[in-house]
Amino acid sequence: MDVFGRSRLLVARTTEWYAAVQQQLAEGKSRAAIGRPLRLDHSTVRRFARAGSLDELLAKAVNRTSILDEYMPYLHQRWHEGCHDVPQLRHELRERGFTGDIQCVRRHAANTEALPLLPAMAPLHRPQGSRKLGRRFVPPAQPREH
């Protein structure tokens, strides 16, 4: 589970692959024959084959730390206050000592968007596209005089 109580994609994928590798090994298939249809590298198949249990594989995936971990309470507070601007959030985190890049904050924000919004927040207004705006500011063509 991640910080939002959802199962991590990595955990779900690892669980599926482990089950498939173990089943096909029990059927007597070679590691190369297992890896091809699953599109897994031979070293990944070997790691899944040698693992004593699923928990052994998941220990690394579940217990991963993030460079954002110490800033999570602040990020969640700002998100629920209505600040969904990733560059602004990153700037605020930088002022608090964050050294990561904007992609790290962007990935977290993408996961956070799945959370329910607070009732006080209204949906964001989407501005018109640049073509439509451009037409508003271009004066109509003047007829040519012959």
Side-chain angles (χ1 to χ4, degrees):
M1 296 286 206
D2 62 10
V3 294
F4 306 116
R6 300 178 303 222
S7 66
R8 288 187 177 181
L9 178 62
L10 181 61
V11 172
R13 201 171 48 214
T14 301
T15 303
E16 289 175 21
W17 286 342
Y18 178 75
V21 168
Q22 292 300 321
Q23 177 186 357
Q24 292 182 36
L25 280 172
E27 293 171 3
K29 292 186 180 178
S30 70
R31 291 181 187 166
I34 293 170
R36 278 190 294 272
L38 295 175
R39 299 179 61 103
L40 295 176
D41 185 69
H42 65 88
S43 60
T44 304
V45 175
R46 181 179 60 230
R47 188 168 46 91
F48 280 66
R50 290 181 178 172
S53 69
L54 179 61
D55 292 335
E56 184 179 321
L57 293 169
L58 291 179
K60 289 181 183 176
V62 175
N63 298 325
R64 283 186 178 175
T65 59
S66 165
I67 193 170
L68 275 174
D69 283 349
E70 66 180 275
Y71 305 99
M72 288 294 191
Y74 179 77
L75 269 177
H76 287 234
Q77 172 193 340
R78 292 293 291 133
W79 185 266
H80 288 295
E81 288 173 355
C83 182
H84 299 174
D85 183 26
V86 172
Q88 175 63 33
L89 289 170
R90 179 177 176 254
H91 176 74
E92 292 175 18
L93 291 177
R94 283 246 183 212
E95 291 175 347
R96 286 162 175 73
F98 178 66
T99 58
D101 64 358
I102 196 164
Q103 288 296 351
C104 184
V105 180
R106 190 170 284 136
R107 279 189 300 270
H108 177 73
N111 287 331
T112 306
E113 285 178 355
L115 290 175
L117 293 177
L118 295 175
M121 285 195 249
L124 298 175
H125 172 69
R126 185 170 181 232
Q128 289 185 344
S130 59
R131 285 187 183 185
K132 289 181 182 178
L133 280 176
R135 286 190 208 124
R136 285 186 174 179
F137 298 109
V138 175
Q142 300 294 325
R144 288 187 183 179
E145 293 181 25
H146 295 287

